[in-house]
Amino acid sequence: MFPAGPPSHSLLRLPLLQLLLLVVQAVGRGLGRASPAGGPLEDVVIERYHIPRACPREVQMGDFVRYHYNGTFEDGKKFDSSYDRNTLVAIVVGVGRLITGMDRGLMGMCVNERRRLIVPPHLGYGSIGLAGLIPPDATLYFDVVLLDVWNKEDTVQVSTLLRPPHCPRMVQDGDFVRYHYNGTLLDGTSFDTSYSKGGTYDTYVGSGWLIKGMDQGLLGMCPGERRKIIIPPFLAYGEKGYGTVIPPQASLVFHVLLIDVHNPKDAVQLETLELPPGCVRRAGAGDFMRYHYNGSLMDGTLFDSSYSRNHTYNTYIGQGYIIPGMDQGLQGACMGERRRITIPPHLAYGENGTGDKIPGSAVLIFNVHVIDFHNPADVVEIRTLSRPSETCNETTKLGDFVRYHYNCSLLDGTQLFTSHDYGAPQEATLGANKDPPANLFEDMDLNKDGEVPPEEDPEKTIGDMFQNQDRNQDGKITVDELKLKSDEDEERVHEEL
Protein backbone atom coordinates (compact mmCIF):
# COMPACT_ATOMS: atom_id res chain seq x y z
CA MET A 1 0.00 0.00 0.00
CA PHE A 2 2.69 2.48 0.97
CA PRO A 3 5.88 1.68 -0.96
CA ALA A 4 8.93 3.88 -0.58
CA GLY A 5 9.45 6.59 -3.23
CA PRO A 6 9.00 10.28 -4.00
CA PRO A 7 5.84 12.03 -2.75
CA SER A 8 2.83 11.34 -4.98
CA HIS A 9 -0.85 10.56 -4.63
CA SER A 10 0.04 7.50 -2.50
CA LEU A 11 0.92 7.63 1.15
CA LEU A 12 4.55 7.12 2.06
CA ARG A 13 6.38 5.12 4.65
CA LEU A 14 8.22 7.54 6.97
CA PRO A 15 11.86 7.19 7.97
CA LEU A 16 12.21 4.80 10.88
CA LEU A 17 13.43 7.35 13.44
CA GLN A 18 10.71 9.82 12.55
CA LEU A 19 8.05 7.09 12.75
CA LEU A 20 9.25 5.99 16.16
CA LEU A 21 9.15 9.61 17.36
CA LEU A 22 5.57 9.97 16.14
CA VAL A 23 4.48 6.76 17.88
CA VAL A 24 6.05 7.88 21.17
CA GLN A 25 4.42 11.30 20.91
CA ALA A 26 1.01 9.87 20.05
CA VAL A 27 1.04 7.33 22.86
CA GLY A 28 2.22 9.95 25.33
CA ARG A 29 -0.47 12.42 24.38
CA GLY A 30 -3.25 9.83 24.01
CA LEU A 31 -4.53 11.45 20.85
CA GLY A 32 -7.08 9.76 18.57
CA ARG A 33 -10.69 8.91 17.96
CA ALA A 34 -12.67 8.18 21.07
CA SER A 35 -13.23 4.53 21.90
CA PRO A 36 -16.72 3.26 22.77
CA ALA A 37 -15.81 3.80 26.44
CA GLY A 38 -15.05 7.44 25.76
CA GLY A 39 -11.23 7.27 25.64
CA PRO A 40 -8.88 7.34 22.63
CA LEU A 41 -8.44 4.20 20.51
CA GLU A 42 -5.58 2.03 21.62
CA ASP A 43 -5.54 -0.35 18.66
CA VAL A 44 -6.89 -0.77 15.14
CA VAL A 45 -10.63 -1.35 14.90
CA ILE A 46 -11.43 -4.08 12.34
CA GLU A 47 -14.85 -4.59 10.79
CA ARG A 48 -15.09 -7.70 8.57
CA TYR A 49 -18.10 -6.83 6.46
CA HIS A 50 -17.61 -9.43 3.74
CA ILE A 51 -16.10 -12.85 4.48
CA PRO A 52 -15.85 -15.37 1.60
CA ARG A 53 -17.26 -18.85 2.17
CA ALA A 54 -13.93 -20.51 1.40
CA CYS A 55 -10.73 -19.29 3.00
CA PRO A 56 -7.86 -21.69 2.17
CA ARG A 57 -5.28 -19.41 3.82
CA GLU A 58 -5.05 -16.24 5.94
CA VAL A 59 -2.50 -13.46 5.81
CA GLN A 60 0.42 -13.96 8.17
CA MET A 61 3.47 -11.90 9.03
CA GLY A 62 5.95 -11.97 6.16
CA ASP A 63 3.36 -12.77 3.48
CA PHE A 64 3.29 -10.87 0.19
CA VAL A 65 -0.15 -9.39 -0.47
CA ARG A 66 -1.96 -7.55 -3.25
CA TYR A 67 -4.97 -5.45 -2.34
CA HIS A 68 -7.12 -2.45 -3.25
CA TYR A 69 -8.16 0.26 -0.78
CA ASN A 70 -9.91 3.57 -0.31
CA GLY A 71 -8.55 5.86 2.44
CA THR A 72 -10.75 8.55 4.08
CA PHE A 73 -10.86 10.80 7.16
CA GLU A 74 -13.55 10.66 9.83
CA ASP A 75 -15.66 13.17 7.89
CA GLY A 76 -15.61 10.93 4.78
CA LYS A 77 -13.16 13.02 2.78
CA LYS A 78 -10.94 10.78 0.63
CA PHE A 79 -7.20 11.29 0.94
CA ASP A 80 -5.97 8.33 -1.14
CA SER A 81 -7.21 5.41 -3.26
CA SER A 82 -5.51 2.61 -5.18
CA TYR A 83 -8.60 2.46 -7.41
CA ASP A 84 -7.97 6.02 -8.61
CA ARG A 85 -4.48 5.00 -9.71
CA ASN A 86 -5.78 1.73 -11.19
CA THR A 87 -2.87 0.02 -9.45
CA LEU A 88 -3.02 -2.62 -6.74
CA VAL A 89 -0.81 -2.35 -3.68
CA ALA A 90 1.73 -5.19 -3.75
CA ILE A 91 3.87 -5.43 -0.62
CA VAL A 92 5.10 -7.64 2.22
CA VAL A 93 3.16 -7.26 5.48
CA GLY A 94 4.40 -7.33 9.06
CA VAL A 95 7.97 -6.23 8.34
CA GLY A 96 7.63 -2.44 8.76
CA ARG A 97 6.95 -1.48 5.16
CA LEU A 98 3.44 -0.28 5.99
CA ILE A 99 2.15 1.95 8.77
CA THR A 100 1.62 -0.13 11.88
CA GLY A 101 -2.17 0.13 11.74
CA MET A 102 -2.32 -1.31 8.22
CA ASP A 103 0.13 -4.10 9.11
CA ARG A 104 -2.14 -5.14 11.96
CA GLY A 105 -5.36 -4.64 10.02
CA LEU A 106 -4.34 -7.01 7.22
CA MET A 107 -3.40 -9.91 9.46
CA GLY A 108 -5.73 -12.90 9.15
CA MET A 109 -7.45 -11.65 5.99
CA CYS A 110 -8.71 -14.06 3.34
CA VAL A 111 -8.61 -13.53 -0.40
CA ASN A 112 -11.75 -11.61 -1.47
CA GLU A 113 -12.43 -10.58 2.12
CA ARG A 114 -13.44 -6.94 2.66
CA ARG A 115 -12.55 -5.04 5.81
CA ARG A 116 -13.09 -1.57 7.20
CA LEU A 117 -10.12 -0.47 9.32
CA ILE A 118 -10.04 2.45 11.76
CA VAL A 119 -6.42 3.40 12.46
CA PRO A 120 -5.73 5.76 15.40
CA PRO A 121 -3.04 8.44 14.94
CA HIS A 122 -0.35 6.67 16.95
CA LEU A 123 -0.64 3.68 14.57
CA GLY A 124 -0.78 5.95 11.52
CA TYR A 125 1.08 9.21 10.97
CA GLY A 126 0.98 10.56 14.53
CA SER A 127 1.16 14.22 15.52
CA ILE A 128 3.23 15.17 12.48
CA GLY A 129 1.03 13.78 9.73
CA LEU A 130 2.15 13.72 6.10
CA ALA A 131 2.66 17.09 4.44
CA GLY A 132 -0.06 17.94 2.01
CA LEU A 133 -2.05 14.73 2.58
CA ILE A 134 -2.50 13.74 6.23
CA PRO A 135 -2.97 16.38 8.96
CA PRO A 136 -1.48 15.85 12.45
CA ASP A 137 -3.30 13.53 14.87
CA ALA A 138 -5.60 12.19 12.13
CA THR A 139 -7.62 9.02 12.55
CA LEU A 140 -7.62 7.12 9.25
CA TYR A 141 -10.36 4.96 7.75
CA PHE A 142 -9.57 2.29 5.17
CA ASP A 143 -11.87 0.06 3.07
CA VAL A 144 -9.68 -2.85 1.97
CA VAL A 145 -10.27 -5.86 -0.31
CA LEU A 146 -7.58 -8.55 -0.41
CA LEU A 147 -6.94 -10.03 -3.86
CA ASP A 148 -3.81 -12.16 -3.43
CA VAL A 149 -1.50 -13.60 -0.79
CA TRP A 150 1.62 -15.73 -1.07
CA ASN A 151 4.90 -16.39 0.64
CA LYS A 152 8.40 -16.95 -0.69
CA GLU A 153 8.33 -20.38 0.94
CA ASP A 154 5.25 -21.42 -1.07
CA THR A 155 5.32 -24.30 -3.51
CA VAL A 156 2.90 -25.31 -6.26
CA GLN A 157 -0.38 -26.48 -4.70
CA VAL A 158 -2.10 -29.34 -6.51
CA SER A 159 -5.65 -30.53 -5.75
CA THR A 160 -7.08 -33.52 -7.60
CA LEU A 161 -10.72 -32.80 -8.44
CA LEU A 162 -11.43 -35.96 -10.47
CA ARG A 163 -9.27 -38.99 -11.16
CA PRO A 164 -10.49 -41.68 -13.59
CA PRO A 165 -10.58 -45.26 -12.27
CA HIS A 166 -8.27 -46.47 -15.05
CA CYS A 167 -4.93 -44.69 -15.45
CA PRO A 168 -2.86 -46.20 -18.29
CA ARG A 169 0.04 -43.81 -17.67
CA MET A 170 1.01 -40.63 -15.80
CA VAL A 171 2.71 -37.48 -17.09
CA GLN A 172 6.49 -37.38 -16.80
CA ASP A 173 9.16 -34.89 -17.83
CA GLY A 174 9.68 -35.01 -21.60
CA ASP A 175 6.11 -36.10 -22.35
CA PHE A 176 3.90 -34.31 -24.85
CA VAL A 177 0.50 -33.41 -23.40
CA ARG A 178 -2.81 -32.08 -24.67
CA TYR A 179 -5.02 -30.40 -22.07
CA HIS A 180 -7.79 -27.89 -21.53
CA TYR A 181 -7.59 -25.21 -18.86
CA ASN A 182 -9.27 -22.23 -17.26
CA GLY A 183 -6.82 -19.69 -15.83
CA THR A 184 -7.79 -17.21 -13.11
CA LEU A 185 -6.14 -14.96 -10.59
CA LEU A 186 -6.43 -15.92 -6.92
CA ASP A 187 -9.50 -13.68 -6.53
CA GLY A 188 -11.28 -15.53 -9.37
CA THR A 189 -10.66 -13.02 -12.16
CA SER A 190 -10.38 -14.97 -15.43
CA PHE A 191 -7.39 -14.20 -17.64
CA ASP A 192 -7.34 -17.07 -20.16
CA THR A 193 -9.06 -20.29 -21.21
CA SER A 194 -8.36 -22.93 -23.85
CA TYR A 195 -12.06 -23.73 -24.23
CA SER A 196 -12.70 -20.45 -26.06
CA LYS A 197 -9.97 -21.23 -28.61
CA GLY A 198 -11.57 -24.33 -30.07
CA GLY A 199 -8.71 -26.67 -29.19
CA THR A 200 -6.50 -28.06 -26.48
CA TYR A 201 -3.20 -26.54 -25.35
CA ASP A 202 -0.48 -28.85 -26.72
CA THR A 203 3.08 -28.78 -25.42
CA TYR A 204 6.00 -30.66 -23.93
CA VAL A 205 6.35 -30.92 -20.15
CA GLY A 206 9.62 -30.18 -18.36
CA SER A 207 11.30 -28.73 -21.44
CA GLY A 208 10.94 -25.01 -20.69
CA TRP A 209 7.88 -24.42 -22.87
CA LEU A 210 5.66 -23.73 -19.85
CA ILE A 211 5.98 -21.59 -16.73
CA LYS A 212 7.81 -23.54 -14.03
CA GLY A 213 4.75 -23.94 -11.85
CA MET A 214 2.71 -25.54 -14.64
CA ASP A 215 5.59 -27.86 -15.50
CA GLN A 216 5.47 -29.07 -11.90
CA GLY A 217 1.68 -29.12 -11.59
CA LEU A 218 1.11 -31.41 -14.59
CA LEU A 219 3.48 -34.14 -13.40
CA GLY A 220 1.74 -37.36 -12.39
CA MET A 221 -1.57 -36.55 -14.11
CA CYS A 222 -3.62 -39.29 -15.80
CA PRO A 223 -5.60 -38.84 -19.02
CA GLY A 224 -9.07 -37.66 -18.05
CA GLU A 225 -7.91 -36.30 -14.68
CA ARG A 226 -9.00 -32.85 -13.47
CA ARG A 227 -6.73 -30.77 -11.25
CA LYS A 228 -6.64 -27.40 -9.59
CA ILE A 229 -3.11 -25.97 -9.68
CA ILE A 230 -2.19 -22.85 -7.67
CA ILE A 231 1.12 -21.29 -8.70
CA PRO A 232 2.94 -18.57 -6.73
CA PRO A 233 4.24 -15.60 -8.77
CA PHE A 234 7.92 -16.58 -8.61
CA LEU A 235 6.99 -19.82 -10.43
CA ALA A 236 4.72 -17.96 -12.87
CA TYR A 237 5.25 -14.49 -14.39
CA GLY A 238 6.91 -12.86 -11.36
CA GLU A 239 7.46 -9.12 -11.00
CA LYS A 240 6.67 -8.28 -14.63
CA GLY A 241 3.36 -10.10 -15.03
CA TYR A 242 2.15 -10.78 -18.55
CA GLY A 243 0.54 -8.18 -20.78
CA THR A 244 -2.54 -6.52 -19.42
CA VAL A 245 -4.21 -9.69 -18.10
CA ILE A 246 -1.73 -10.92 -15.48
CA PRO A 247 -0.51 -8.20 -13.12
CA PRO A 248 2.93 -8.27 -11.49
CA GLN A 249 3.39 -10.56 -8.46
CA ALA A 250 0.15 -12.42 -9.17
CA SER A 251 -0.62 -15.95 -8.01
CA LEU A 252 -2.29 -18.02 -10.74
CA VAL A 253 -4.98 -20.68 -10.47
CA PHE A 254 -5.46 -23.24 -13.27
CA HIS A 255 -8.28 -25.75 -13.54
CA VAL A 256 -6.83 -28.39 -15.87
CA LEU A 257 -8.34 -31.35 -17.73
CA LEU A 258 -5.71 -33.66 -19.25
CA ILE A 259 -6.86 -35.05 -22.60
CA ASP A 260 -3.91 -37.27 -23.51
CA VAL A 261 -0.20 -37.81 -23.04
CA HIS A 262 2.52 -39.54 -25.00
CA ASN A 263 6.27 -39.54 -25.40
CA PRO A 264 8.07 -39.24 -28.76
CA LYS A 265 9.83 -42.51 -27.89
CA ASP A 266 6.57 -44.42 -27.36
CA ALA A 267 5.87 -47.57 -29.33
CA VAL A 268 2.51 -49.20 -30.04
CA GLN A 269 0.99 -50.66 -26.86
CA LEU A 270 -0.94 -53.93 -27.08
CA GLU A 271 -3.36 -55.33 -24.53
CA THR A 272 -5.07 -58.67 -25.11
CA LEU A 273 -8.67 -58.45 -23.90
CA GLU A 274 -9.85 -61.89 -25.02
CA LEU A 275 -7.86 -64.75 -26.56
CA PRO A 276 -9.87 -67.70 -27.90
CA PRO A 277 -8.52 -71.16 -27.02
CA GLY A 278 -6.69 -73.19 -29.62
CA CYS A 279 -5.04 -70.39 -31.59
CA VAL A 280 -3.11 -72.27 -34.28
CA ARG A 281 -2.24 -69.35 -36.51
CA ARG A 282 -1.38 -65.69 -35.95
CA ALA A 283 -1.65 -62.89 -38.47
CA GLY A 284 1.50 -61.73 -40.23
CA ALA A 285 2.56 -59.10 -42.74
CA GLY A 286 0.92 -59.70 -46.11
CA ASP A 287 -2.23 -61.29 -44.68
CA PHE A 288 -5.63 -60.00 -45.68
CA MET A 289 -7.69 -59.35 -42.55
CA ARG A 290 -11.32 -58.63 -41.70
CA TYR A 291 -11.90 -56.98 -38.35
CA HIS A 292 -14.28 -54.78 -36.38
CA TYR A 293 -13.10 -51.84 -34.29
CA ASN A 294 -14.08 -48.93 -32.08
CA GLY A 295 -11.66 -46.00 -32.31
CA SER A 296 -11.47 -43.42 -29.53
CA LEU A 297 -9.20 -40.68 -28.25
CA MET A 298 -7.39 -41.10 -24.94
CA ASP A 299 -10.13 -39.27 -23.04
CA GLY A 300 -12.72 -41.75 -24.35
CA THR A 301 -14.16 -39.64 -27.17
CA LEU A 302 -15.31 -41.99 -29.96
CA PHE A 303 -14.17 -40.91 -33.43
CA ASP A 304 -15.02 -43.95 -35.57
CA SER A 305 -16.53 -47.43 -35.44
CA SER A 306 -16.93 -50.19 -38.00
CA TYR A 307 -19.94 -51.48 -36.03
CA SER A 308 -21.87 -48.31 -36.92
CA ARG A 309 -21.48 -49.24 -40.59
CA ASN A 310 -22.44 -52.88 -39.94
CA HIS A 311 -19.43 -53.97 -41.96
CA THR A 312 -15.94 -55.17 -41.11
CA TYR A 313 -12.88 -53.21 -42.14
CA ASN A 314 -11.05 -55.32 -44.74
CA THR A 315 -7.42 -54.73 -45.68
CA TYR A 316 -3.95 -56.16 -46.05
CA ILE A 317 -1.73 -55.68 -43.00
CA GLY A 318 1.95 -54.83 -43.00
CA GLN A 319 1.68 -53.40 -46.51
CA GLY A 320 1.17 -49.69 -45.80
CA TYR A 321 -2.56 -49.59 -46.52
CA ILE A 322 -3.36 -48.48 -42.95
CA ILE A 323 -1.60 -46.21 -40.43
CA PRO A 324 1.76 -47.65 -39.26
CA GLY A 325 0.59 -48.18 -35.69
CA MET A 326 -2.36 -50.31 -36.81
CA ASP A 327 -0.14 -52.20 -39.23
CA GLN A 328 2.03 -53.16 -36.26
CA GLY A 329 -0.80 -53.68 -33.79
CA LEU A 330 -2.71 -56.24 -35.88
CA GLN A 331 0.25 -58.53 -36.48
CA GLY A 332 0.40 -61.53 -34.20
CA ALA A 333 -3.38 -61.54 -33.60
CA CYS A 334 -5.46 -64.73 -33.61
CA MET A 335 -8.82 -65.21 -35.27
CA GLY A 336 -11.51 -64.21 -32.82
CA GLU A 337 -9.06 -62.32 -30.61
CA ARG A 338 -10.03 -59.02 -29.02
CA ARG A 339 -7.21 -56.60 -28.32
CA ARG A 340 -6.69 -52.95 -27.41
CA ILE A 341 -4.14 -51.09 -29.53
CA THR A 342 -2.83 -47.73 -28.28
CA ILE A 343 -1.07 -45.77 -31.00
CA PRO A 344 1.05 -42.64 -30.39
CA PRO A 345 0.50 -39.79 -32.88
CA HIS A 346 3.83 -40.27 -34.68
CA LEU A 347 2.53 -43.72 -35.71
CA ALA A 348 -0.99 -42.43 -36.46
CA TYR A 349 -1.95 -39.06 -37.98
CA GLY A 350 0.86 -36.93 -36.51
CA GLU A 351 0.75 -33.22 -35.78
CA ASN A 352 -1.96 -32.46 -38.35
CA GLY A 353 -4.57 -35.04 -37.36
CA THR A 354 -7.26 -35.85 -39.89
CA GLY A 355 -10.79 -34.61 -40.51
CA ASP A 356 -12.70 -32.89 -37.75
CA LYS A 357 -12.65 -35.79 -35.26
CA ILE A 358 -8.95 -36.60 -34.85
CA PRO A 359 -7.00 -33.52 -33.72
CA GLY A 360 -3.29 -33.02 -34.22
CA SER A 361 -0.89 -34.93 -31.95
CA ALA A 362 -3.70 -37.21 -30.74
CA VAL A 363 -3.12 -40.64 -29.21
CA LEU A 364 -5.54 -43.18 -30.71
CA ILE A 365 -7.01 -46.23 -28.97
CA PHE A 366 -8.57 -49.04 -31.00
CA ASN A 367 -10.57 -51.89 -29.49
CA VAL A 368 -10.31 -54.52 -32.21
CA HIS A 369 -12.12 -57.82 -32.80
CA VAL A 370 -10.34 -59.93 -35.44
CA ILE A 371 -12.92 -61.80 -37.50
CA ASP A 372 -10.64 -63.68 -39.90
CA PHE A 373 -7.57 -63.41 -42.08
CA HIS A 374 -5.89 -65.29 -44.87
CA ASN A 375 -2.91 -65.01 -47.14
CA PRO A 376 -3.07 -64.98 -50.96
CA ALA A 377 -0.54 -67.82 -50.90
CA ASP A 378 -2.76 -70.01 -48.71
CA VAL A 379 -3.80 -73.43 -49.98
CA VAL A 380 -6.92 -75.36 -49.10
CA GLU A 381 -6.71 -76.62 -45.54
CA ILE A 382 -8.22 -80.07 -44.96
CA ARG A 383 -8.80 -81.44 -41.47
CA THR A 384 -10.38 -84.85 -40.88
CA LEU A 385 -12.90 -84.59 -38.05
CA SER A 386 -14.34 -88.11 -38.23
CA ARG A 387 -13.47 -91.25 -40.17
CA PRO A 388 -15.44 -94.52 -40.31
CA SER A 389 -14.08 -97.25 -38.04
CA GLU A 390 -14.29 -99.89 -40.76
CA THR A 391 -11.57 -100.13 -43.34
CA CYS A 392 -11.77 -97.49 -46.06
CA ASN A 393 -11.10 -99.34 -49.32
CA GLU A 394 -11.93 -96.56 -51.74
CA THR A 395 -11.44 -92.77 -51.68
CA THR A 396 -12.91 -90.11 -53.90
CA LYS A 397 -11.14 -88.87 -57.00
CA LEU A 398 -11.76 -86.49 -59.86
CA GLY A 399 -14.72 -87.52 -61.97
CA ASP A 400 -16.52 -89.30 -59.13
CA PHE A 401 -20.14 -88.51 -58.48
CA VAL A 402 -20.66 -87.80 -54.77
CA ARG A 403 -23.53 -87.03 -52.45
CA TYR A 404 -22.70 -85.18 -49.21
CA HIS A 405 -23.97 -82.93 -46.45
CA TYR A 406 -22.20 -79.72 -45.39
CA ASN A 407 -22.34 -76.72 -43.05
CA CYS A 408 -20.76 -73.51 -44.38
CA SER A 409 -19.65 -70.79 -41.94
CA LEU A 410 -17.21 -67.92 -41.66
CA LEU A 411 -14.03 -68.36 -39.66
CA ASP A 412 -15.56 -66.57 -36.67
CA GLY A 413 -18.30 -69.23 -36.57
CA THR A 414 -21.04 -67.25 -38.28
CA GLN A 415 -23.12 -69.82 -40.21
CA LEU A 416 -23.93 -68.90 -43.80
CA PHE A 417 -25.90 -71.89 -45.10
CA THR A 418 -26.24 -75.66 -44.75
CA SER A 419 -27.41 -78.52 -46.94
CA HIS A 420 -29.58 -79.75 -44.07
CA ASP A 421 -31.93 -76.86 -44.80
CA TYR A 422 -32.77 -78.48 -48.16
CA GLY A 423 -33.64 -81.91 -46.73
CA ALA A 424 -31.36 -83.74 -49.14
CA PRO A 425 -27.61 -84.16 -49.64
CA GLN A 426 -25.69 -82.04 -52.12
CA GLU A 427 -24.83 -83.83 -55.39
CA ALA A 428 -21.84 -83.07 -57.57
CA THR A 429 -19.28 -84.52 -59.94
CA LEU A 430 -15.76 -83.87 -58.68
CA GLY A 431 -13.73 -81.76 -61.07
CA ALA A 432 -16.67 -80.88 -63.30
CA ASN A 433 -16.20 -77.18 -62.73
CA LYS A 434 -12.58 -76.89 -63.67
CA ASP A 435 -10.92 -73.52 -63.85
CA PRO A 436 -9.95 -72.47 -67.39
CA PRO A 437 -6.33 -73.16 -68.30
CA ALA A 438 -3.80 -70.43 -67.61
CA ASN A 439 -2.79 -70.44 -71.31
CA LEU A 440 -5.78 -71.20 -73.49
CA PHE A 441 -3.78 -71.26 -76.75
CA GLU A 442 -1.34 -73.89 -75.50
CA ASP A 443 -4.20 -75.97 -74.19
CA MET A 444 -5.97 -75.89 -77.58
CA ASP A 445 -2.75 -76.52 -79.53
CA LEU A 446 -3.18 -80.26 -79.25
CA ASN A 447 -0.31 -81.35 -81.55
CA LYS A 448 2.00 -78.54 -80.34
CA ASP A 449 2.69 -77.26 -83.83
CA GLY A 450 1.95 -73.67 -82.99
CA GLU A 451 -1.50 -73.77 -84.57
CA VAL A 452 -5.00 -74.33 -83.24
CA PRO A 453 -7.01 -76.63 -85.50
CA PRO A 454 -10.30 -75.19 -86.70
CA GLU A 455 -13.48 -76.30 -85.00
CA GLU A 456 -16.00 -78.27 -86.92
CA ASP A 457 -18.35 -75.33 -86.47
CA PRO A 458 -16.40 -72.01 -86.67
CA GLU A 459 -19.58 -69.99 -86.28
CA LYS A 460 -20.28 -71.69 -82.97
CA THR A 461 -16.77 -70.81 -81.78
CA ILE A 462 -17.25 -67.16 -82.72
CA GLY A 463 -20.67 -67.16 -81.07
CA ASP A 464 -19.24 -68.54 -77.84
CA MET A 465 -16.54 -65.88 -77.81
CA PHE A 466 -19.12 -63.13 -78.40
CA GLN A 467 -21.39 -64.44 -75.68
CA ASN A 468 -18.47 -64.62 -73.25
CA GLN A 469 -17.69 -60.91 -73.75
CA ASP A 470 -21.32 -59.78 -73.84
CA ARG A 471 -21.53 -59.62 -70.02
CA ASN A 472 -25.10 -58.29 -69.79
CA GLN A 473 -26.35 -60.40 -72.70
CA ASP A 474 -27.85 -57.44 -74.53
CA GLY A 475 -26.49 -58.46 -77.92
CA LYS A 476 -23.80 -55.77 -77.87
CA ILE A 477 -20.21 -55.61 -76.58
CA THR A 478 -19.29 -52.26 -75.04
CA VAL A 479 -15.80 -50.94 -74.21
CA ASP A 480 -16.35 -51.73 -70.52
CA GLU A 481 -17.32 -55.33 -71.37
CA LEU A 482 -14.33 -55.95 -73.63
CA LYS A 483 -11.59 -56.60 -71.01
CA LEU A 484 -8.57 -58.83 -70.77
CA LYS A 485 -8.41 -61.35 -67.95
CA SER A 486 -5.40 -59.54 -66.45
CA ASP A 487 -7.46 -56.33 -66.26
CA GLU A 488 -10.27 -58.15 -64.47
CA ASP A 489 -7.86 -59.68 -61.95
CA GLU A 490 -6.39 -56.25 -61.17
CA GLU A 491 -9.87 -54.76 -60.59
CA ARG A 492 -10.74 -57.54 -58.15
CA VAL A 493 -7.63 -56.77 -56.11
CA HIS A 494 -8.56 -53.07 -55.84
CA GLU A 495 -12.13 -53.96 -54.87
CA GLU A 496 -10.81 -55.91 -51.87
CA LEU A 497 -8.80 -52.93 -50.66
Side-chain angles (χ1 to χ4, degrees):
M1 171 183 164
F2 305 132
S8 67
H9 295 293
S10 62
L11 301 181
L12 305 178
R13 173 179 173 269
L14 297 178
L16 182 58
L17 291 176
Q18 185 179 359
L19 181 60
L20 290 175
L21 178 60
L22 290 174
V23 171
V24 171
Q25 289 175 339
V27 172
R29 295 170 57 185
L31 297 175
R33 180 181 182 275
S35 68
L41 291 176
E42 295 182 358
D43 204 348
V44 177
V45 176
I46 300 175
E47 179 189 350
R48 305 177 69 186
Y49 66 90
H50 175 74
I51 303 174
R53 292 182 178 180
C55 183
R57 72 184 290 175
E58 298 177 348
V59 175
Q60 298 179 359
M61 186 176 296
D63 282 347
F64 194 99
V65 295
R66 294 190 309 114
Y67 62 92
H68 265 309
Y69 73 93
N70 280 318
T72 61
F73 298 118
E74 189 171 5
D75 62 0
K77 181 181 178 181
K78 183 165 61 176
F79 61 82
D80 193 22
S81 173
S82 62
Y83 295 98
D84 293 345
R85 298 188 299 275
N86 197 30
T87 302
L88 287 164
V89 178
I91 201 165
V92 179
V93 298
V95 295
R97 297 184 181 179
L98 295 166
I99 59 173
T100 305
M102 185 60 79
D103 260 346
R104 294 182 184 182
L106 292 173
M107 291 298 169
M109 280 194 81
C110 305
V111 172
N112 285 326
E113 180 179 345
R114 294 178 180 269
R115 288 185 177 185
R116 183 172 292 110
L117 309 178
I118 303 175
V119 180
H122 65 282
L123 298 178
Y125 290 92
S127 61
I128 297 178
L130 188 63
L133 288 176
I134 308 295
D137 301 323
T139 299
L140 307 179
Y141 294 74
F142 293 96
D143 275 302
V144 180
V145 56
L146 184 68
L147 300 179
D148 200 346
V149 55
W150 57 273
N151 193 284
K152 63 181 181 179
E153 303 298 329
D154 285 350
T155 57
V156 175
Q157 301 174 48
V158 175
S159 303
T160 298
L161 307 178
L162 174 67
R163 191 177 182 90
H166 176 66
C167 182
R169 68 178 295 171
M170 294 185 290
V171 176
Q172 299 177 353
D173 279 334
D175 283 346
F176 189 91
V177 295
R178 297 172 53 244
Y179 62 92
H180 273 301
Y181 69 89
N182 287 318
T184 65
L185 304 180
L186 206 58
D187 68 337
T189 301
S190 177
F191 63 80
D192 194 19
T193 176
S194 64
Y195 293 96
S196 65
K197 300 173 182 176
T200 54
Y201 191 82
D202 306 343
T203 187
Y204 286 96
V205 176
S207 300
W209 296 102
L210 295 167
I211 56 175
K212 293 181 180 180
M214 186 62 87
D215 262 343
Q216 296 177 25
L218 292 172
L219 293 177
M221 283 193 80
C222 300
E225 182 177 343
R226 294 180 182 270
R227 278 186 180 182
K228 179 182 179 181
I229 303 172
I230 302 177
I231 304 173
F234 54 87
L235 295 175
Y237 294 99
E239 298 179 354
K240 296 182 179 181
Y242 186 83
T244 60
V245 293
I246 299 179
Q249 302 289 22
S251 301
L252 305 182
V253 181
F254 290 93
H255 284 80
V256 175
L257 168 61
L258 184 66
I259 302 301
D260 72 17
V261 52
H262 77 277
N263 194 283
K265 298 179 181 178
D266 284 349
V268 174
Q269 299 176 42
L270 302 178
E271 180 183 356
T272 299
L273 306 177
E274 181 183 335
L275 185 63
C279 177
V280 295
R281 172 176 177 176
R282 294 182 179 271
D287 284 347
F288 188 87
M289 179 178 287
R290 298 171 55 246
Y291 61 93
H292 271 302
Y293 70 89
N294 285 319
S296 64
L297 304 180
M298 215 171 192
D299 66 344
T301 302
L302 186 72
F303 62 80
D304 193 21
S305 174
S306 63
Y307 295 98
S308 67
R309 295 186 290 274
N310 198 30
H311 194 282
T312 56
Y313 191 82
N314 308 329
T315 185
Y316 286 96
I317 63 173
Q319 303 290 310
Y321 290 107
I322 48 182
I323 57 175
M326 187 63 90
D327 252 349
Q328 298 177 26
L330 291 173
Q331 295 187 45
C334 297
M335 294 183 192
E337 180 179 343
R338 296 178 185 269
R339 58 170 53 180
R340 178 175 293 125
I341 305 172
T342 303
I343 304 175
H346 51 273
L347 295 174
Y349 294 99
E351 297 180 356
N352 296 324
T354 184
D356 58 355
K357 293 187 177 180
I358 300 180
S361 300
V363 176
L364 306 184
I365 299 177
F366 291 91
N367 285 289
V368 174
H369 181 203
V370 179
I371 303 302
D372 68 20
F373 55 85
H374 71 276
N375 194 284
D378 286 348
V379 296
V380 176
E381 179 183 344
I382 300 174
R383 188 183 308 169
T384 300
L385 305 179
S386 175
R387 199 174 184 90
S389 56
E390 61 270 14
T391 303
C392 180
N393 294 322
E394 188 174 1
T395 58
T396 56
K397 60 184 180 298
L398 290 178
D400 285 349
F401 180 81
V402 295
R403 300 173 67 245
Y404 61 95
H405 272 298
Y406 68 89
N407 292 315
C408 180
S409 65
L410 302 178
L411 277 173
D412 66 345
T414 302
Q415 182 168 304
L416 298 179
F417 37 81
T418 173
S419 62
H420 297 280
D421 291 341
Y422 304 104
Q426 178 79 17
E427 298 178 348
T429 300
L430 300 182
N433 296 320
K434 295 192 299 181
D435 291 333
N439 192 317
L440 183 60
F441 183 86
E442 290 183 0
D443 190 67
M444 296 179 66
D445 184 11
L446 301 179
N447 57 6
K448 305 304 179 187
D449 61 355
E451 295 180 357
V452 176
E455 291 280 347
E456 294 181 2
D457 187 356
E459 292 185 0
K460 180 177 183 302
T461 301
I462 296 173
D464 289 343
M465 294 173 64
F466 183 91
Q467 187 176 8
N468 182 56
Q469 291 296 325
D470 184 12
R471 310 303 172 94
N472 58 7
Q473 304 300 309
D474 64 351
K476 297 180 292 183
I477 299 177
T478 64
V479 174
D480 289 336
E481 291 175 321
L482 188 60
K483 295 178 182 178
L484 298 176
K485 183 177 185 299
S486 59
D487 294 334
E488 293 178 342
D489 291 343
E490 184 177 352
E491 285 184 359
R492 277 195 290 269
V493 169
H494 285 299
E495 286 172 0
E496 281 188 313
L497 299 180

